[in-house]
Amino acid sequence: MVEERDFIQKNEFLHGGEFQYFRIEPVLWGKNLPKLKEMKINVVSSYVPWIWHELEEGRFDFVGETHPMRDLIRFLSLVRESGLRFIIRPGPYIYAEYNGYGVPLWVREKYPECLIVDEKGRRGSHVSYGHPKLMKLVEKWYSALYKVVKEFVDDGTIIAIQLDNETGLFLAGEVLNKVDYNPYIVSRFRSWLKEKYGDINELNKTCRSSFSDFDRVNPPRGRIVREHGVQWLDWLKFYQFYIVEYLRDLKDMVERVGFKVPVVLNDSILMLHPVRSKEKFKVGNLGLDIYVKVFPNWQYCFDFPFTPVFDAKYVNYYAEKHGKRSWAAEVQSGYLDPYTHVSINETWQLAMSLISHGLKGLVWYVIHDCIEADGTPYAYRSAFDEHGDPTERFKIHEKIGSFVEEYKDLILNSEEIYDKVAYAHYENYNIKHLFSPIDVILESKSAKSFMGAVADNQWNYGFVDLEDASLEDLQKYNVLVFHTLGFLYMKILEKLEKFVEEGGKLITFPFPVYMNERLENVESPIYPFKIKKIDKPSDKKVLLRFLAWKLKWKKEKRKYLHKWSEQTLWSNYIINNSMSLLMKTAKDYMISGVFVKGYCKHVNLQPKPRDNIRPLMFRDDVPFGYVVEHGKGTSVVIGTNLLAHYDTPYYYELTPKELKSIRIALNTLIGVRRVVRMVEGNGEIVVRKTKDSYLLFIFNRGREKHVEIGFDPDVFREEKYRVSCLASLGQIEVPREVTERKLVLKLNSDDVTVIYLEST
């Protein structure tokens, strides 16, 4: 077995770009691969589409016999000649806005038993993960591929192989159909249940069912209701773990056919069923896929301004847990929607966010614009246009590459400093449609938005997994923030109770924990509430709105030429409209005399008559948030998705008054000191520490402004520090020294300024 930790070397920063040879004229391969070095790029990646190279079953073309863009051997030879290394991405699924998502159409036509099946028994258009017939065909594909690329594996040109692509992601949009009910998947579900429960009577007791044996168990169908919630939980969790097993099978397969290189994976951290990203780290080093500017109708720098912060922390946490070096497999470089403007500032800010939060590698997607074999542009407006000419984005990639090369030792040998607040993560909450299908649309931004507000007010928060972390791990922080769907395993609940009892503060929203893993009501001293009423959009109205969007999309999509991009663009269209809908659910709440907004769910809690409970947050003089004293600590329960607009384009429209109110409210809720802080105003600051110096990454998401930064004397013990500006998009003046632990700066709009502090 190959050790994945060797994929990125200890003293290396991996800087790469996706160069899709199968969409780029061969004359441009030799012209532009060497130019990647000018951007300090040392690695290229590319999908190797199965559908492109196996024209019909058993008939392969890797040398350009049928089309010059199929000459994979020549392309890899040019990669090697250019002094670059290669990450090979052969699917079977590649997505990539490509025909059949990369799986040959003949697979679907010849072997319909492989197709996914919805709960009504209808076959879909895509192939079911892990179906035995599919896996036999994939092994033949991998084997044929290995035979022609073996020399590039042996000489070290190919440094890693990616299994599949964002496995499970395309099914996230199919959750309302609750796929996959393929007979093979159902048989695997029965085996999983037998292993979990052991005895059919135990299953019947837990699930309130009456099956005579495991072979007669069928997955639940129809409307998800709480009475059968455990059956749904089992079915949905099984499928998430099944996907991970599918990836393990692919890993065994690539090693069996001869690929003796590290295995890698990739995911967007959407936290939606059926994607269970944390478990994939057990298979290989999972790289982050991140796209933060996708909407054509917003002209701000980011559409998701704080997603990079959360996603980087997520990937970093699990990579370190599994002894791997965190990286990003796809980092947005332009975008496929020709009507979406991705600024140079976005590219710079995105790179600095990922670097500051500890990632050891970035691969830009895509680094070179493309033209499909039929002449249709697949253009991102990246570093090279489809004709091979450098663009303005070439220069920003060059700047980022030069920054990494010059300060690589500082970046790699420094540690991020966290404040005493962390996000408490529970992966099972990716089943957001368990209680309401519209939660897939409206709930997905809640956690990232609240933590974005925390970061924007200079608390550099940590990240902990509630299933894996010990009580001691939790107690490294004074405050935990917990976004919940209302159910939780009892062992985790007991751990949280102990955390509060021994002096911690736990902030929970929008529900208290009131159910166990079997969705049975439970009581807890840190959640002494009954739910009186939940005010939220009705499923029917939202679904009607969804159908209206679908009708409008039929007209909207006509303006797009690249037909294989439709699913991606449609998803963006839905998300964009759902954010507008989210804003209409806003209600004003008062905390510490200021108004802040809550969204989507407004949960009226009825506290039990106890002396240790006091109201904290009000709407129209009615309490919607409480503080519960328990032992030495406190449990804060907030009955809404507070600040759920923060990780959306609406962030840029917040007024100074609103931002000030948010800061006051968070000071009340969080209440711990910051390592660094802005005396007034918002803006993220990330501190990385070396043995005797500090790196400060100062983010200004918005207009130009002056800031005064203060430093915690318990961390910054020296009276004076020498100051150097290492990087910024625009010109910036900095003082020569930090005195009295204060630093005054003028920040450029939508910029990141990197400051170096050294003891005098």
Side-chain angles (χ1 to χ4, degrees):
M1 182 178 290
V2 179
E3 295 291 338
E4 283 80 10
R5 65 174 176 268
D6 296 332
F7 163 58
I8 302 176
Q9 301 301 315
K10 183 177 180 181
N11 296 314
E12 174 190 28
F13 190 97
L14 186 147
H15 191 212
E18 173 84 1
F19 194 104
Q20 295 184 351
Y21 68 94
F22 57 95
R23 286 167 156 162
I24 298 172
E25 289 291 336
V27 69
L28 300 178
W29 300 350
K31 175 185 175 184
N32 284 339
L33 280 170
K35 291 183 180 178
L36 298 181
K37 289 282 193 176
E38 296 177 31
M39 295 180 280
K40 316 302 180 190
I41 283 175
N42 48 37
V43 171
V44 292
S45 65
S46 178
Y47 297 116
V48 179
W50 182 11
I51 191 173
W52 183 235
H53 288 286
E54 190 172 1
L55 287 73
E56 56 189 52
E57 188 171 1
R59 180 187 168 214
F60 299 92
D61 181 3
F62 295 107
V63 295
E65 180 183 356
T66 57
H67 195 288
M69 287 193 288
R70 287 193 173 100
D71 195 348
L72 177 62
I73 305 308
R74 177 169 175 254
F75 172 72
L76 288 175
S77 298
L78 291 169
V79 169
R80 179 171 56 193
E81 290 171 16
S82 301
L84 298 163
R85 295 169 296 159
F86 188 64
I87 301 171
I88 191 167
R89 310 169 81 191
Y93 275 113
I94 66 167
Y95 307 163
E97 296 78 43
Y98 203 62
N99 193 16
Y101 288 171
V103 177
L105 301 183
W106 57 258
V107 173
R108 298 163 169 84
E109 294 164 358
K110 292 182 68 174
Y111 307 104
E113 67 271 22
C114 292
L115 297 176
I116 63 173
V117 177
D118 72 12
E119 65 174 354
K120 295 182 179 179
R122 297 171 300 197
R123 283 176 173 163
S125 58
H126 297 298
V127 178
S128 187
Y129 289 123
H131 191 282
K133 185 60 188 179
L134 172 71
M135 297 302 274
K136 289 180 181 178
L137 296 170
V138 172
E139 184 154 10
K140 291 178 181 178
W141 156 241
Y142 281 170
S143 181
L145 176 64
Y146 176 71
K147 289 175 183 176
V148 299
V149 303
K150 181 179 183 298
E151 66 172 288
F152 303 100
V153 174
D154 293 343
D155 68 13
T157 300
I158 295 175
I159 60 169
I161 182 169
Q162 180 183 297
L163 304 178
D164 212 69
N165 187 66
E166 297 175 339
T167 309
L169 180 64
F170 80 88
L171 290 178
E174 297 286 343
V175 292
L176 300 184
N177 293 327
K178 296 178 279 292
V179 294
D180 179 6
Y181 290 78
N182 184 289
Y184 175 73
I185 303 296
V186 173
S187 70
R188 290 289 297 267
F189 175 55
R190 291 166 176 160
S191 299
W192 183 85
L193 289 174
K194 188 172 184 178
E195 183 177 344
K196 177 180 178 180
Y197 289 102
D199 186 271
I200 193 66
N201 293 320
E202 184 63 27
L203 179 144
N204 286 330
K205 178 183 175 182
T206 301
C207 298
R208 304 169 190 171
S209 55
S210 56
F211 297 109
S212 58
D213 59 64
F214 285 102
D215 289 337
R216 293 184 179 276
V217 176
N218 285 309
R221 289 172 166 83
R223 187 166 175 264
I224 300 178
V225 293
R226 183 176 170 185
E227 288 74 19
H228 303 294
V230 180
Q231 295 179 39
W232 280 106
L233 268 178
D234 275 346
W235 171 235
L236 298 172
K237 286 178 63 179
F238 149 73
Y239 193 67
Q240 293 181 9
F241 283 100
Y242 170 78
I243 283 176
V244 178
E245 287 303 313
Y246 157 71
L247 290 170
R248 284 197 179 98
D249 291 343
L250 288 181
K251 180 177 182 179
D252 291 342
M253 189 184 293
V254 296
E255 292 181 355
R256 191 162 59 243
V257 303
F259 280 100
K260 305 303 182 185
V261 293
V263 161
V264 297
L265 307 167
N266 65 321
D267 254 346
S268 294
I269 310 303
L270 299 180
M271 298 186 292
L272 291 174
H273 176 76
V275 181
R276 197 174 186 89
S277 301
K278 66 171 270 190
E279 298 296 331
K280 295 180 182 179
F281 281 91
K282 297 176 182 177
V283 180
N285 192 345
L286 184 141
L288 170 65
D289 290 359
I290 186 161
Y291 299 85
V292 291
K293 180 61 191 172
V294 298
F295 301 143
N297 60 317
W298 293 95
Q299 301 307 312
Y300 300 119
C301 189
F302 281 33
D303 294 325
F304 313 121
F306 294 95
T307 285
V309 182
F310 188 98
D311 290 6
K313 290 175 184 291
Y314 182 106
V315 170
N316 222 13
Y317 177 88
Y318 291 111
E320 289 182 5
K321 177 179 171 59
H322 292 282
K324 299 174 171 63
R325 295 182 178 88
S326 58
W327 67 299
E330 295 182 15
V331 182
Q332 178 176 13
S333 176
Y335 197 56
L336 59 89
D337 188 333
Y339 303 99
T340 298
H341 174 66
V342 182
S343 69
I344 296 304
N345 299 64
E346 185 271 357
T347 304
W348 170 253
Q349 205 174 113
L350 179 56
M352 292 299 106
S353 186
L354 300 178
I355 291 169
S356 69
H357 289 295
L359 270 62
K360 307 300 189 297
L362 309 177
V363 180
W364 298 101
Y365 191 98
V366 292
I367 201 66
H368 197 300
D369 285 359
C370 309
I371 299 178
E372 302 286 5
D374 66 0
T376 305
Y378 181 71
Y380 267 63
R381 285 141 298 154
S382 187
F384 298 94
D385 65 24
E386 60 263 43
H387 306 295
D389 296 323
T391 69
E392 63 171 350
R393 208 171 306 279
F394 183 99
K395 295 179 181 178
I396 194 64
H397 285 312
E398 189 175 34
K399 180 180 178 71
I400 293 165
S402 297
F403 171 79
V404 168
E405 184 174 73
E406 185 171 358
Y407 301 113
K408 181 181 71 173
D409 291 342
L410 273 178
I411 294 166
L412 296 179
N413 297 311
S414 58
E415 293 185 356
E416 188 173 356
I417 298 179
Y418 300 106
D419 290 289
K420 293 292 186 178
V421 57
Y423 180 71
H425 179 68
Y426 186 49
E427 191 86 355
N428 284 334
Y429 290 159
N430 63 359
I431 307 174
K432 289 184 170 59
H433 62 298
L434 186 62
F435 301 117
S436 173
I438 66 170
D439 284 351
V440 175
I441 297 173
L442 297 182
E443 274 286 340
S444 58
K445 278 290 166 192
S446 300
K448 292 184 182 182
S449 284
F450 187 90
M451 298 314 296
V454 171
D456 201 36
N457 283 276
Q458 298 96 56
W459 284 286
N460 188 27
Y461 64 90
F463 185 100
V464 290
D465 183 298
L466 287 177
E467 289 182 283
D468 304 336
S470 66
L471 177 61
E472 291 71 26
D473 292 331
L474 301 185
Q475 289 174 330
K476 293 175 183 176
Y477 302 96
N478 295 342
V479 180
L480 296 179
V481 179
F482 184 31
H483 177 264
T484 168
L485 296 184
F487 69 92
L488 191 64
Y489 276 72
M490 291 304 294
K491 288 184 179 179
I492 298 176
L493 179 56
E494 291 165 3
K495 197 187 316 183
L496 291 175
E497 290 171 354
K498 195 69 174 174
F499 170 77
V500 175
E501 183 181 326
E502 296 190 2
K505 178 188 278 190
L506 177 65
I507 301 171
T508 306
F509 70 100
F511 297 107
V513 173
Y514 63 102
M515 293 179 289
N516 62 16
E517 63 272 22
R518 297 183 177 185
L519 305 186
E520 301 164 333
N521 286 339
V522 295
E523 293 187 1
S524 169
I526 61 174
Y527 299 117
F529 304 99
K530 288 185 178 180
I531 295 177
K532 291 173 63 177
K533 181 182 177 183
I534 302 174
D535 179 11
K536 67 181 184 68
S538 75
D539 290 359
K540 184 177 180 179
K541 287 184 178 179
V542 174
L543 291 175
L544 286 173
R545 190 73 63 90
F546 177 84
L547 293 174
W549 297 338
K550 202 168 185 178
L551 289 173
K552 289 181 181 178
W553 173 249
K554 287 184 178 180
K555 181 179 179 181
E556 183 77 11
K557 70 180 183 180
R558 295 173 189 163
K559 66 183 182 182
Y560 294 105
L561 299 177
H562 193 268
K563 60 183 179 180
W564 296 330
S565 294
E566 182 181 338
Q567 186 60 46
T568 300
L569 296 167
W570 159 241
S571 298
N572 293 339
Y573 184 79
I574 291 298
I575 296 168
N576 196 357
N577 280 284
S578 68
M579 288 195 308
S580 176
L581 180 60
L582 176 72
M583 296 301 291
K584 294 177 182 177
T585 70
K587 295 187 185 297
D588 287 324
Y589 291 89
M590 179 173 283
I591 301 176
S592 296
V594 298
F595 285 103
V596 289
K597 293 187 182 298
Y599 295 84
C600 189
K601 289 188 175 70
H602 308 281
V603 184
N604 195 341
L605 303 169
Q606 180 179 334
K608 296 186 176 179
R610 295 180 182 176
D611 295 336
N612 64 334
I613 305 173
R614 59 182 172 83
L616 173 71
M617 186 180 77
F618 299 85
R619 193 182 95 208
D620 299 328
D621 296 326
V622 177
F624 274 77
Y626 294 86
V627 176
V628 181
E629 306 291 342
H630 178 65
K632 299 177 182 178
T634 56
S635 169
V636 178
V637 181
I638 300 169
T640 188
N641 286 309
L642 204 62
L643 310 177
H645 58 319
Y646 223 82
D647 193 33
T648 75
Y650 294 98
Y651 162 78
Y652 294 96
E653 298 184 348
L654 290 169
T655 66
K657 182 180 178 181
E658 288 173 316
L659 290 167
K660 185 176 181 179
S661 294
I662 290 169
R663 190 174 183 86
I664 291 169
L666 288 176
N667 282 336
T668 298
L669 292 171
I670 306 294
V672 295
R673 291 169 62 182
R674 304 162 173 89
V675 171
V676 292
R677 71 190 188 286
M678 292 181 182
V679 176
E680 290 183 0
N682 61 301
E684 182 192 5
I685 304 176
V686 181
V687 181
R688 300 189 63 86
K689 186 181 186 306
T690 68
K691 184 177 180 181
D692 54 4
S693 62
Y694 297 90
L695 282 173
L696 270 64
F697 292 77
I698 306 168
F699 293 81
N700 182 27
R701 296 175 173 90
R703 298 184 182 90
E704 174 184 287
K705 62 186 176 186
H706 290 81
V707 296
E708 180 181 325
I709 298 171
F711 299 84
D712 185 347
D714 290 341
V715 177
F716 295 85
R717 298 182 181 275
E718 303 294 329
E719 291 290 336
K720 293 183 179 181
Y721 291 90
R722 283 192 293 270
V723 180
S724 304
C725 179
L726 303 188
S728 183
L729 264 187
Q731 294 295 320
I732 185 168
E733 293 183 7
V734 298
R736 293 183 178 181
E737 290 184 338
V738 167
T739 57
E740 298 180 352
R741 299 188 179 90
K742 290 182 181 179
L743 177 63
V744 178
L745 293 173
K746 177 185 175 184
L747 302 179
N748 301 315
S749 62
D750 289 322
D751 196 4
V752 184
T753 301
V754 186
I755 299 292
Y756 180 63
L757 301 183
E758 187 178 21
S759 301
T760 57

